[in-house]
Amino acid sequence: MEKIRRREFLRSSGLSLLPVIIPAPLTAAIANSQDNIPPDLPMVNFVSDTLLVNPGEQLAQLQKIQQTKAIEADFYGRSGVVAALEKRCADIMGKESAKFFPSGTMANQLALKVLSGENTKIFVQETSHIFRDEADAAQSVHGKRLMPLAKGAPAFTLEDLQQAVEYQEKEEVFHSGIGAVSIECPVRRCDGKRVPFNEIKRISEWCRQKGYKLHLDGARLHLAAAFGNIPLKEYAALFDTVYISLYKYLGAMSGAILCGDKALTEKMDHLIKIHGGAIYQNWHNAALALDAIDQFEARIRKAADIASALFNRLNKRAELKISALPEGTNIFHMKLQPGIDLAKWANILRTSHNIVIPRRMGEDVVRLFVNESISLRDSSQLYDAFVNSLEQAKKA
Amino acid sequence: MEKIRRREFLRSSGLSLLPVIIPAPLTAAIANSQDNIPPDLPMVNFVSDTLLVNPGEQLAQLQKIQQTKAIEADFYGRSGVVAALEKRCADIMGKESAKFFPSGTMANQLALKVLSGENTKIFVQETSHIFRDEADAAQSVHGKRLMPLAKGAPAFTLEDLQQAVEYQEKEEVFHSGIGAVSIECPVRRCDGKRVPFNEIKRISEWCRQKGYKLHLDGARLHLAAAFGNIPLKEYAALFDTVYISLYKYLGAMSGAILCGDKALTEKMDHLIKIHGGAIYQNWHNAALALDAIDQFEARIRKAADIASALFNRLNKRAELKISALPEGTNIFHMKLQPGIDLAKWANILRTSHNIVIPRRMGEDVVRLFVNESISLRDSSQLYDAFVNSLEQAKKA
């Protein structure tokens, strides 16, 4: 599909709304595109949580893994490299068990279904993926009622939760029961902001006292761990279940892992099957993620350091101001001097330097995503590319 | 995982029961195994509907496709090569539209959900995958009641269906409504037997008169088409929806396609999402299936001819008798002369000739599956291998 037609397709299909939370249509188009870009410069992008790879590059990566050690096929999500990945994830998170899921939505939904049992009420952030971006699956498929907290904000406090529970207990006659509490961290719809760790601790303690189960939507938990300097295990210890994505930055083409007690994960094979998620082979996803997962934290920390130095240096110039966010992770806000044509600048960066930044503003800022790709190039080369392209954009 | 441990795992996990309908644990173990087998003889197997390939071979196939024409990535099941496959399948089946699903179970279940609307009763074969092998998803997830017909048999007749409808209308007070009728063809649990085409025609005509929607579980429909010499489109024309599998023999690692009216397939994006089946990237499955789908019918017809000649020649010997089944497809029954040790014979065939046959009897017959792999070798060489290994097995 030509790029222009692809864009039209995305618009007409409603998919153009997705980039708010998932910049992937853009990234896929870029990764797929056959533009004449400098061949000796690996692409650095500021539009995704990960490297932008096309199918050819993904296949090359799988071949590399296969050549190191023959990949062992799975069978409907069991055995082989899928089982190996599950074991590794359970170890990393300090949980008893882990289970592969075909999608994060399925992992979130089935975790909440099992955690809440016969109770129907589940408290979530109003900004969360579960509340806003799973198409009301909890309500329509699983018969659960999601109770949103802290409208528009990344985090609710323990007091928000306590008040909501109290209100519901006082103001409703039929007590259908509080099933679970879910926390997303970092929160994609809030530019990757983290829920303050101390608040999670307080919420976790109180939930344990009350017997409420606690789920972590940690699709991008490694980013919270790296940018907030809090070990994955310390997060995981506060929750009954932890979901992480395999494709946001761990290199897989799809898939998710849910960690938790064995008693819980053992229920999942049946639930995955009846919801249509028992998939014949997923060894490619497991092999890609298993290859990446051990090195990822070090890599993203290195990327964060490089980005920090680059942004500090760029901030000495008048044209732009790049800021980290409070409780932020890998998303930075860039403000531009009036008169700079963002689309034009982005185009020069792309075609002359193979650097990808957003071509459109989100409200009044440009959101820059930091990912591993920044480590692929010399940082003074990156600085020069930014500065030279800015000068060029201002000129013509 | 060593082979012995893998087998133990399969047994303890209950997966050892699956080979009844899916011989894949066996096939995966064989494809993964690193035995010293003759390197110049491509493997011919009689235990699967398809070639046995390991991840290395599957990756090589994907690379081959990629080198012919760069694969275009999809985005959550839309655009790219997934859209191309959908279009191709709709054309092949003569339907308005087609939709990719992550699993056949999800395709079957969501087809029946949409076809039946608010009605709850769905008539199916008692031997069908939908009735026996989808873990009661229709009942537990979708609130449908499956009404099994023709216990133990591959097919129900129009009269069976009419009587069941009449009984239900007379003998139940609250008429919750007949939602849909489903036919599986060929029927895996009945050794791949086909539902007689003329019976399907009669059922289809009557269902149209009555306004009952008709679904075809055609996971292996190409086998019915090739072995029964009935074009795919003639099958598809009799049904409102047709599901075909992408991995039974079309080379994919997983996935399914559902063909039908656009008004129906357009409802699927939302339903797939809420059931957790919206998967980030599936271009590998689509590329593999798209590469295979046009040549498959010719290839399986050729394989059927080779098998027929080989089996006829072998049947002239006293040791065995291989029979096609009435309304059969690619599964043949082999009876052995008393005293022949099947496991021993199979072992010689495997290690000396790289030919795989089942090592265990199913009841009193050995089920031989015909697939494309039979075309990989000279057929008189295959005949000699069978005869020589039989002689050897009888000796020691």
Side-chain angles (χ1 to χ4, degrees), chain A residues 1 24 63 71-72 75-76 78 103 105-106 135 247 253 273-276 280-281 284, chain B residues 1 15 24 63 72 75-76 103 105-106 135 247 253 273-276 280-281 284:
Chain A
M1 206 185 290
Q63 286 280 24
I71 298 169
E72 200 185 344
F75 175 66
Y76 289 102
R78 306 195 196 198
S103 76
T105 293
M106 193 180 282
Y247 69 88
M253 285 160 53
K273 171 66 185 172
I274 62 175
H275 290 91
Y280 181 47
Q281 287 196 318
H284 62 304
Chain B
M1 207 185 289
L15 273 174
Q63 286 280 23
E72 200 186 345
F75 175 67
Y76 290 102
S103 76
T105 293
M106 192 180 283
Y247 69 88
M253 287 161 52
K273 171 67 186 172
I274 61 175
H275 291 91
Y280 181 47
Q281 287 196 319
H284 62 304

mmCIF file of all heavy atoms in Angstrom, chain A residues 1 24 63 71-72 75-76 78 103 105-106 135 247 253 273-276 280-281 284, chain B residues 1 15 24 63 72 75-76 103 105-106 135 247 253 273-276 280-281 284:
data_model
loop_
_atom_site.group_PDB
_atom_site.id
_atom_site.type_symbol
_atom_site.label_atom_id
_atom_site.label_comp_id
_atom_site.label_asym_id
_atom_site.label_seq_id
_atom_site.Cartn_x
_atom_site.Cartn_y
_atom_site.Cartn_z
ATOM 1 N N MET A 1 0.855 -1.192 0.000
ATOM 2 C CA MET A 1 0.000 0.000 0.000
ATOM 3 C C MET A 1 0.888 1.238 0.000
ATOM 4 O O MET A 1 1.808 1.338 0.803
ATOM 5 C CB MET A 1 -0.866 -0.016 1.271
ATOM 6 C CG MET A 1 -2.168 0.732 1.133
ATOM 7 S SD MET A 1 -3.087 0.794 2.691
ATOM 8 C CE MET A 1 -3.597 -0.898 2.885
ATOM 9 N N ALA A 24 2.092 3.486 16.787
ATOM 10 C CA ALA A 24 2.533 2.441 15.872
ATOM 11 C C ALA A 24 2.161 2.610 14.403
ATOM 12 O O ALA A 24 2.937 2.215 13.550
ATOM 13 C CB ALA A 24 2.060 1.092 16.383
ATOM 14 N N GLN A 63 16.627 -14.963 12.883
ATOM 15 C CA GLN A 63 17.670 -15.839 12.330
ATOM 16 C C GLN A 63 18.906 -15.820 13.214
ATOM 17 O O GLN A 63 19.542 -16.848 13.442
ATOM 18 C CB GLN A 63 18.060 -15.378 10.916
ATOM 19 C CG GLN A 63 17.030 -15.697 9.850
ATOM 20 C CD GLN A 63 17.117 -17.145 9.377
ATOM 21 O OE1 GLN A 63 17.604 -18.007 10.085
ATOM 22 N NE2 GLN A 63 16.618 -17.394 8.181
ATOM 23 N N ILE A 71 15.871 -22.619 18.117
ATOM 24 C CA ILE A 71 14.650 -22.285 18.860
ATOM 25 C C ILE A 71 13.777 -23.528 18.957
ATOM 26 O O ILE A 71 13.561 -24.215 17.957
ATOM 27 C CB ILE A 71 13.875 -21.160 18.132
ATOM 28 C CG1 ILE A 71 14.721 -19.883 18.058
ATOM 29 C CG2 ILE A 71 12.542 -20.878 18.832
ATOM 30 C CD1 ILE A 71 14.146 -18.813 17.130
ATOM 31 N N GLU A 72 13.274 -23.805 20.161
ATOM 32 C CA GLU A 72 12.391 -24.961 20.304
ATOM 33 C C GLU A 72 10.934 -24.506 20.231
ATOM 34 O O GLU A 72 10.497 -23.633 20.985
ATOM 35 C CB GLU A 72 12.647 -25.699 21.619
ATOM 36 C CG GLU A 72 12.111 -27.118 21.562
ATOM 37 C CD GLU A 72 12.223 -27.863 22.888
ATOM 38 O OE1 GLU A 72 12.965 -27.421 23.770
ATOM 39 O OE2 GLU A 72 11.537 -28.898 23.025
ATOM 40 N N PHE A 75 3.797 -25.482 21.690
ATOM 41 C CA PHE A 75 2.621 -26.193 21.213
ATOM 42 C C PHE A 75 1.426 -25.614 21.960
ATOM 43 O O PHE A 75 1.263 -25.853 23.149
ATOM 44 C CB PHE A 75 2.774 -27.692 21.490
ATOM 45 C CG PHE A 75 1.554 -28.492 21.142
ATOM 46 C CD1 PHE A 75 1.152 -28.609 19.824
ATOM 47 C CD2 PHE A 75 0.796 -29.108 22.128
ATOM 48 C CE1 PHE A 75 0.018 -29.335 19.492
ATOM 49 C CE2 PHE A 75 -0.340 -29.838 21.807
ATOM 50 C CZ PHE A 75 -0.728 -29.954 20.484
ATOM 51 N N TYR A 76 0.627 -24.810 21.255
ATOM 52 C CA TYR A 76 -0.493 -24.106 21.884
ATOM 53 C C TYR A 76 -0.059 -23.407 23.171
ATOM 54 O O TYR A 76 -0.679 -23.562 24.224
ATOM 55 C CB TYR A 76 -1.662 -25.058 22.140
ATOM 56 C CG TYR A 76 -2.346 -25.482 20.859
ATOM 57 C CD1 TYR A 76 -2.110 -26.732 20.308
ATOM 58 C CD2 TYR A 76 -3.192 -24.609 20.185
ATOM 59 C CE1 TYR A 76 -2.719 -27.109 19.115
ATOM 60 C CE2 TYR A 76 -3.805 -24.980 18.993
ATOM 61 C CZ TYR A 76 -3.570 -26.229 18.470
ATOM 62 O OH TYR A 76 -4.167 -26.601 17.295
ATOM 63 N N ARG A 78 2.402 -23.904 25.089
ATOM 64 C CA ARG A 78 3.092 -24.669 26.128
ATOM 65 C C ARG A 78 4.424 -25.178 25.599
ATOM 66 O O ARG A 78 4.621 -25.313 24.407
ATOM 67 C CB ARG A 78 2.251 -25.881 26.545
ATOM 68 C CG ARG A 78 0.850 -25.501 26.956
ATOM 69 C CD ARG A 78 0.204 -26.658 27.683
ATOM 70 N NE ARG A 78 -1.234 -26.459 27.754
ATOM 71 C CZ ARG A 78 -2.021 -27.106 28.602
ATOM 72 N NH1 ARG A 78 -1.522 -27.978 29.444
ATOM 73 N NH2 ARG A 78 -3.316 -26.885 28.609
ATOM 74 N N SER A 103 -2.371 -11.400 23.913
ATOM 75 C CA SER A 103 -2.495 -9.938 23.935
ATOM 76 C C SER A 103 -2.515 -9.427 25.361
ATOM 77 O O SER A 103 -2.886 -10.144 26.296
ATOM 78 C CB SER A 103 -3.780 -9.489 23.219
ATOM 79 O OG SER A 103 -4.908 -9.729 24.041
ATOM 80 N N THR A 105 -4.507 -7.058 26.399
ATOM 81 C CA THR A 105 -5.912 -6.933 26.784
ATOM 82 C C THR A 105 -6.406 -8.233 27.408
ATOM 83 O O THR A 105 -7.062 -8.227 28.453
ATOM 84 C CB THR A 105 -6.775 -6.557 25.556
ATOM 85 O OG1 THR A 105 -6.408 -5.229 25.140
ATOM 86 C CG2 THR A 105 -8.251 -6.587 25.874
ATOM 87 N N MET A 106 -6.067 -9.359 26.791
ATOM 88 C CA MET A 106 -6.512 -10.633 27.357
ATOM 89 C C MET A 106 -5.864 -10.894 28.717
ATOM 90 O O MET A 106 -6.516 -11.383 29.644
ATOM 91 C CB MET A 106 -6.226 -11.792 26.396
ATOM 92 C CG MET A 106 -6.943 -13.071 26.804
ATOM 93 S SD MET A 106 -6.650 -14.492 25.705
ATOM 94 C CE MET A 106 -7.725 -14.097 24.343
ATOM 95 N N ALA A 135 -12.114 -1.353 25.096
ATOM 96 C CA ALA A 135 -13.423 -1.432 24.429
ATOM 97 C C ALA A 135 -14.525 -1.989 25.332
ATOM 98 O O ALA A 135 -15.431 -2.678 24.870
ATOM 99 C CB ALA A 135 -13.305 -2.246 23.135
ATOM 100 N N TYR A 247 5.951 -6.730 23.333
ATOM 101 C CA TYR A 247 6.276 -6.053 22.072
ATOM 102 C C TYR A 247 6.438 -4.543 22.190
ATOM 103 O O TYR A 247 6.825 -3.903 21.228
ATOM 104 C CB TYR A 247 5.250 -6.397 20.987
ATOM 105 C CG TYR A 247 3.869 -5.831 21.194
ATOM 106 C CD1 TYR A 247 3.536 -4.564 20.713
ATOM 107 C CD2 TYR A 247 2.897 -6.550 21.861
ATOM 108 C CE1 TYR A 247 2.273 -4.041 20.897
ATOM 109 C CE2 TYR A 247 1.628 -6.035 22.050
ATOM 110 C CZ TYR A 247 1.320 -4.782 21.566
ATOM 111 O OH TYR A 247 0.068 -4.271 21.756
ATOM 112 N N MET A 253 6.757 -9.558 18.300
ATOM 113 C CA MET A 253 5.774 -9.024 17.363
ATOM 114 C C MET A 253 4.401 -8.896 18.017
ATOM 115 O O MET A 253 3.521 -8.210 17.505
ATOM 116 C CB MET A 253 5.688 -9.929 16.139
ATOM 117 C CG MET A 253 6.898 -9.761 15.223
ATOM 118 S SD MET A 253 7.119 -11.169 14.103
ATOM 119 C CE MET A 253 5.501 -11.277 13.348
ATOM 120 N N LYS A 273 -8.351 -20.486 26.378
ATOM 121 C CA LYS A 273 -8.991 -21.308 25.340
ATOM 122 C C LYS A 273 -10.415 -20.826 25.040
ATOM 123 O O LYS A 273 -10.765 -20.606 23.876
ATOM 124 C CB LYS A 273 -9.009 -22.776 25.791
ATOM 125 C CG LYS A 273 -9.824 -23.717 24.909
ATOM 126 C CD LYS A 273 -9.230 -23.881 23.522
ATOM 127 C CE LYS A 273 -10.138 -24.726 22.625
ATOM 128 N NZ LYS A 273 -9.664 -24.717 21.224
ATOM 129 N N ILE A 274 -11.229 -20.654 26.058
ATOM 130 C CA ILE A 274 -12.634 -20.315 25.773
ATOM 131 C C ILE A 274 -12.785 -18.905 25.211
ATOM 132 O O ILE A 274 -13.771 -18.612 24.546
ATOM 133 C CB ILE A 274 -13.581 -20.524 26.989
ATOM 134 C CG1 ILE A 274 -13.210 -19.636 28.166
ATOM 135 C CG2 ILE A 274 -13.633 -21.995 27.385
ATOM 136 C CD1 ILE A 274 -14.192 -19.737 29.340
ATOM 137 N N HIS A 275 -11.797 -18.064 25.450
ATOM 138 C CA HIS A 275 -11.872 -16.732 24.846
ATOM 139 C C HIS A 275 -11.170 -16.673 23.493
ATOM 140 O O HIS A 275 -11.045 -15.599 22.904
ATOM 141 C CB HIS A 275 -11.336 -15.676 25.819
ATOM 142 C CG HIS A 275 -12.253 -15.483 26.990
ATOM 143 N ND1 HIS A 275 -12.126 -16.203 28.158
ATOM 144 C CD2 HIS A 275 -13.363 -14.722 27.141
ATOM 145 C CE1 HIS A 275 -13.102 -15.861 28.986
ATOM 146 N NE2 HIS A 275 -13.865 -14.972 28.398
ATOM 147 N N GLY A 276 -10.713 -17.814 23.017
ATOM 148 C CA GLY A 276 -10.170 -17.859 21.656
ATOM 149 C C GLY A 276 -8.694 -17.522 21.557
ATOM 150 O O GLY A 276 -8.190 -17.250 20.472
ATOM 151 N N TYR A 280 -1.705 -21.754 18.083
ATOM 152 C CA TYR A 280 -0.868 -22.921 17.808
ATOM 153 C C TYR A 280 0.606 -22.683 18.118
ATOM 154 O O TYR A 280 1.207 -23.423 18.882
ATOM 155 C CB TYR A 280 -1.063 -23.360 16.357
ATOM 156 C CG TYR A 280 -0.266 -24.574 15.973
ATOM 157 C CD1 TYR A 280 -0.249 -25.701 16.793
ATOM 158 C CD2 TYR A 280 0.475 -24.599 14.798
ATOM 159 C CE1 TYR A 280 0.491 -26.822 16.440
ATOM 160 C CE2 TYR A 280 1.211 -25.723 14.446
ATOM 161 C CZ TYR A 280 1.218 -26.824 15.270
ATOM 162 O OH TYR A 280 1.957 -27.922 14.931
ATOM 163 N N GLN A 281 1.200 -21.653 17.514
ATOM 164 C CA GLN A 281 2.630 -21.437 17.752
ATOM 165 C C GLN A 281 2.959 -19.972 17.988
ATOM 166 O O GLN A 281 2.543 -19.089 17.236
ATOM 167 C CB GLN A 281 3.448 -21.967 16.576
ATOM 168 C CG GLN A 281 3.472 -23.496 16.563
ATOM 169 C CD GLN A 281 4.562 -24.043 15.672
ATOM 170 O OE1 GLN A 281 4.788 -23.538 14.584
ATOM 171 N NE2 GLN A 281 5.247 -25.077 16.137
ATOM 172 N N HIS A 284 8.098 -17.535 17.944
ATOM 173 C CA HIS A 284 8.808 -16.349 17.455
ATOM 174 C C HIS A 284 8.752 -15.222 18.484
ATOM 175 O O HIS A 284 9.757 -14.575 18.765
ATOM 176 C CB HIS A 284 8.235 -15.895 16.108
ATOM 177 C CG HIS A 284 6.795 -15.487 16.160
ATOM 178 N ND1 HIS A 284 5.797 -16.315 16.636
ATOM 179 C CD2 HIS A 284 6.181 -14.331 15.820
ATOM 180 C CE1 HIS A 284 4.647 -15.679 16.571
ATOM 181 N NE2 HIS A 284 4.848 -14.482 16.089
ATOM 182 N N MET B 1 14.172 -28.870 26.077
ATOM 183 C CA MET B 1 13.606 -29.980 26.872
ATOM 184 C C MET B 1 13.928 -31.305 26.177
ATOM 185 O O MET B 1 13.702 -31.447 24.987
ATOM 186 C CB MET B 1 12.085 -29.808 26.967
ATOM 187 C CG MET B 1 11.472 -30.424 28.202
ATOM 188 S SD MET B 1 9.659 -30.304 28.190
ATOM 189 C CE MET B 1 9.418 -28.554 28.463
ATOM 190 N N LEU B 15 -2.127 -32.903 27.912
ATOM 191 C CA LEU B 15 -2.011 -32.643 26.482
ATOM 192 C C LEU B 15 -1.877 -33.923 25.679
ATOM 193 O O LEU B 15 -2.045 -33.917 24.473
ATOM 194 C CB LEU B 15 -0.809 -31.739 26.200
ATOM 195 C CG LEU B 15 -1.106 -30.248 26.293
ATOM 196 C CD1 LEU B 15 0.165 -29.447 26.141
ATOM 197 C CD2 LEU B 15 -2.092 -29.839 25.207
ATOM 198 N N ALA B 24 -0.227 -32.851 16.659
ATOM 199 C CA ALA B 24 0.879 -31.903 16.671
ATOM 200 C C ALA B 24 1.944 -32.115 17.744
ATOM 201 O O ALA B 24 3.105 -31.833 17.485
ATOM 202 C CB ALA B 24 0.338 -30.490 16.746
ATOM 203 N N GLN B 63 12.066 -16.108 5.084
ATOM 204 C CA GLN B 63 13.142 -15.365 4.414
ATOM 205 C C GLN B 63 12.992 -15.453 2.903
ATOM 206 O O GLN B 63 13.208 -14.482 2.184
ATOM 207 C CB GLN B 63 14.515 -15.931 4.814
ATOM 208 C CG GLN B 63 14.950 -15.575 6.218
ATOM 209 C CD GLN B 63 15.536 -14.165 6.313
ATOM 210 O OE1 GLN B 63 15.248 -13.312 5.487
ATOM 211 N NE2 GLN B 63 16.335 -13.927 7.336
ATOM 212 N N GLU B 72 4.954 -6.616 3.842
ATOM 213 C CA GLU B 72 4.499 -5.377 4.471
ATOM 214 C C GLU B 72 3.791 -5.692 5.783
ATOM 215 O O GLU B 72 2.839 -6.477 5.817
ATOM 216 C CB GLU B 72 3.568 -4.593 3.539
ATOM 217 C CG GLU B 72 3.484 -3.130 3.961
ATOM 218 C CD GLU B 72 2.472 -2.318 3.159
ATOM 219 O OE1 GLU B 72 2.043 -2.795 2.094
ATOM 220 O OE2 GLU B 72 2.116 -1.223 3.618
ATOM 221 N N PHE B 75 -0.917 -3.977 11.155
ATOM 222 C CA PHE B 75 -1.031 -3.178 12.372
ATOM 223 C C PHE B 75 -2.325 -3.601 13.055
ATOM 224 O O PHE B 75 -3.407 -3.286 12.586
ATOM 225 C CB PHE B 75 -1.052 -1.689 12.014
ATOM 226 C CG PHE B 75 -1.290 -0.793 13.192
ATOM 227 C CD1 PHE B 75 -0.340 -0.704 14.199
ATOM 228 C CD2 PHE B 75 -2.458 -0.061 13.309
ATOM 229 C CE1 PHE B 75 -0.560 0.110 15.300
ATOM 230 C CE2 PHE B 75 -2.679 0.757 14.406
ATOM 231 C CZ PHE B 75 -1.725 0.842 15.401
ATOM 232 N N TYR B 76 -2.186 -4.368 14.136
ATOM 233 C CA TYR B 76 -3.357 -4.925 14.819
ATOM 234 C C TYR B 76 -4.322 -5.587 13.837
ATOM 235 O O TYR B 76 -5.521 -5.315 13.833
ATOM 236 C CB TYR B 76 -4.071 -3.854 15.651
ATOM 237 C CG TYR B 76 -3.268 -3.440 16.861
ATOM 238 C CD1 TYR B 76 -2.551 -2.255 16.874
ATOM 239 C CD2 TYR B 76 -3.197 -4.260 17.988
ATOM 240 C CE1 TYR B 76 -1.792 -1.886 17.980
ATOM 241 C CE2 TYR B 76 -2.444 -3.902 19.090
ATOM 242 C CZ TYR B 76 -1.748 -2.714 19.084
ATOM 243 O OH TYR B 76 -0.996 -2.356 20.177
ATOM 244 N N SER B 103 -7.232 -17.283 16.110
ATOM 245 C CA SER B 103 -7.447 -18.727 16.287
ATOM 246 C C SER B 103 -8.740 -19.155 15.613
ATOM 247 O O SER B 103 -9.662 -18.358 15.423
ATOM 248 C CB SER B 103 -7.509 -19.087 17.778
ATOM 249 O OG SER B 103 -8.763 -18.711 18.327
ATOM 250 N N THR B 105 -10.839 -21.263 16.943
ATOM 251 C CA THR B 105 -11.883 -21.237 17.966
ATOM 252 C C THR B 105 -12.548 -19.865 18.004
ATOM 253 O O THR B 105 -13.776 -19.757 18.041
ATOM 254 C CB THR B 105 -11.282 -21.598 19.346
ATOM 255 O OG1 THR B 105 -10.871 -22.969 19.312
ATOM 256 C CG2 THR B 105 -12.288 -21.406 20.464
ATOM 257 N N MET B 106 -11.737 -18.810 17.961
ATOM 258 C CA MET B 106 -12.328 -17.471 17.994
ATOM 259 C C MET B 106 -13.154 -17.205 16.736
ATOM 260 O O MET B 106 -14.229 -16.596 16.805
ATOM 261 C CB MET B 106 -11.249 -16.399 18.172
ATOM 262 C CG MET B 106 -11.842 -15.034 18.510
ATOM 263 S SD MET B 106 -10.621 -13.710 18.736
ATOM 264 C CE MET B 106 -10.014 -14.079 20.374
ATOM 265 N N ALA B 135 -14.026 -26.293 24.461
ATOM 266 C CA ALA B 135 -14.105 -26.124 25.918
ATOM 267 C C ALA B 135 -15.379 -25.417 26.386
ATOM 268 O O ALA B 135 -15.359 -24.673 27.363
ATOM 269 C CB ALA B 135 -12.857 -25.388 26.424
ATOM 270 N N TYR B 247 -3.023 -22.731 9.472
ATOM 271 C CA TYR B 247 -1.837 -23.504 9.866
ATOM 272 C C TYR B 247 -2.001 -25.009 9.755
ATOM 273 O O TYR B 247 -1.040 -25.741 9.933
ATOM 274 C CB TYR B 247 -1.379 -23.121 11.282
ATOM 275 C CG TYR B 247 -2.298 -23.551 12.399
ATOM 276 C CD1 TYR B 247 -2.166 -24.803 12.996
ATOM 277 C CD2 TYR B 247 -3.294 -22.710 12.860
ATOM 278 C CE1 TYR B 247 -3.005 -25.195 14.021
ATOM 279 C CE2 TYR B 247 -4.136 -23.089 13.882
ATOM 280 C CZ TYR B 247 -3.985 -24.331 14.464
ATOM 281 O OH TYR B 247 -4.820 -24.716 15.476
ATOM 282 N N MET B 253 1.982 -20.269 11.162
ATOM 283 C CA MET B 253 2.249 -20.765 12.509
ATOM 284 C C MET B 253 0.993 -20.724 13.372
ATOM 285 O O MET B 253 0.930 -21.354 14.431
ATOM 286 C CB MET B 253 3.350 -19.930 13.150
ATOM 287 C CG MET B 253 4.720 -20.237 12.564
ATOM 288 S SD MET B 253 5.928 -18.935 12.865
ATOM 289 C CE MET B 253 5.786 -18.709 14.630
ATOM 290 N N LYS B 273 -11.482 -7.552 19.542
ATOM 291 C CA LYS B 273 -10.829 -6.730 20.570
ATOM 292 C C LYS B 273 -11.320 -7.095 21.977
ATOM 293 O O LYS B 273 -10.517 -7.343 22.879
ATOM 294 C CB LYS B 273 -11.091 -5.247 20.280
ATOM 295 C CG LYS B 273 -10.648 -4.285 21.376
ATOM 296 C CD LYS B 273 -9.145 -4.241 21.543
ATOM 297 C CE LYS B 273 -8.733 -3.379 22.738
ATOM 298 N NZ LYS B 273 -7.297 -3.485 23.026
ATOM 299 N N ILE B 274 -12.622 -7.145 22.166
ATOM 300 C CA ILE B 274 -13.105 -7.356 23.546
ATOM 301 C C ILE B 274 -12.825 -8.771 24.037
ATOM 302 O O ILE B 274 -12.777 -9.012 25.240
ATOM 303 C CB ILE B 274 -14.608 -6.996 23.743
ATOM 304 C CG1 ILE B 274 -15.523 -7.852 22.875
ATOM 305 C CG2 ILE B 274 -14.836 -5.511 23.514
ATOM 306 C CD1 ILE B 274 -17.011 -7.602 23.125
ATOM 307 N N HIS B 275 -12.620 -9.695 23.114
ATOM 308 C CA HIS B 275 -12.260 -11.044 23.551
ATOM 309 C C HIS B 275 -10.751 -11.240 23.632
ATOM 310 O O HIS B 275 -10.277 -12.351 23.883
ATOM 311 C CB HIS B 275 -12.930 -12.091 22.656
ATOM 312 C CG HIS B 275 -14.417 -12.125 22.870
ATOM 313 N ND1 HIS B 275 -15.290 -11.358 22.137
ATOM 314 C CD2 HIS B 275 -15.177 -12.773 23.791
ATOM 315 C CE1 HIS B 275 -16.522 -11.555 22.578
ATOM 316 N NE2 HIS B 275 -16.490 -12.401 23.578
ATOM 317 N N GLY B 276 -10.008 -10.178 23.417
ATOM 318 C CA GLY B 276 -8.557 -10.248 23.627
ATOM 319 C C GLY B 276 -7.770 -10.727 22.422
ATOM 320 O O GLY B 276 -6.609 -11.112 22.554
ATOM 321 N N TYR B 280 -0.907 -7.354 17.912
ATOM 322 C CA TYR B 280 -0.149 -6.287 17.267
ATOM 323 C C TYR B 280 0.302 -6.647 15.853
ATOM 324 O O TYR B 280 0.009 -5.935 14.908
ATOM 325 C CB TYR B 280 1.047 -5.909 18.148
ATOM 326 C CG TYR B 280 1.891 -4.798 17.587
ATOM 327 C CD1 TYR B 280 1.305 -3.637 17.097
ATOM 328 C CD2 TYR B 280 3.276 -4.903 17.544
ATOM 329 C CE1 TYR B 280 2.074 -2.611 16.571
ATOM 330 C CE2 TYR B 280 4.052 -3.881 17.027
ATOM 331 C CZ TYR B 280 3.447 -2.745 16.537
ATOM 332 O OH TYR B 280 4.216 -1.742 16.010
ATOM 333 N N GLN B 281 1.021 -7.762 15.698
ATOM 334 C CA GLN B 281 1.510 -8.101 14.361
ATOM 335 C C GLN B 281 1.336 -9.576 14.034
ATOM 336 O O GLN B 281 1.696 -10.451 14.821
ATOM 337 C CB GLN B 281 2.979 -7.709 14.222
ATOM 338 C CG GLN B 281 3.142 -6.195 14.123
ATOM 339 C CD GLN B 281 4.501 -5.799 13.600
ATOM 340 O OE1 GLN B 281 5.510 -6.384 13.978
ATOM 341 N NE2 GLN B 281 4.538 -4.809 12.723
ATOM 342 N N HIS B 284 3.703 -12.483 9.744
ATOM 343 C CA HIS B 284 4.372 -13.756 9.449
ATOM 344 C C HIS B 284 3.349 -14.815 9.036
ATOM 345 O O HIS B 284 3.548 -15.542 8.065
ATOM 346 C CB HIS B 284 5.198 -14.214 10.647
ATOM 347 C CG HIS B 284 4.405 -14.490 11.882
ATOM 348 N ND1 HIS B 284 3.570 -13.555 12.461
ATOM 349 C CD2 HIS B 284 4.287 -15.611 12.639
ATOM 350 C CE1 HIS B 284 2.990 -14.086 13.520
ATOM 351 N NE2 HIS B 284 3.401 -15.328 13.649
#
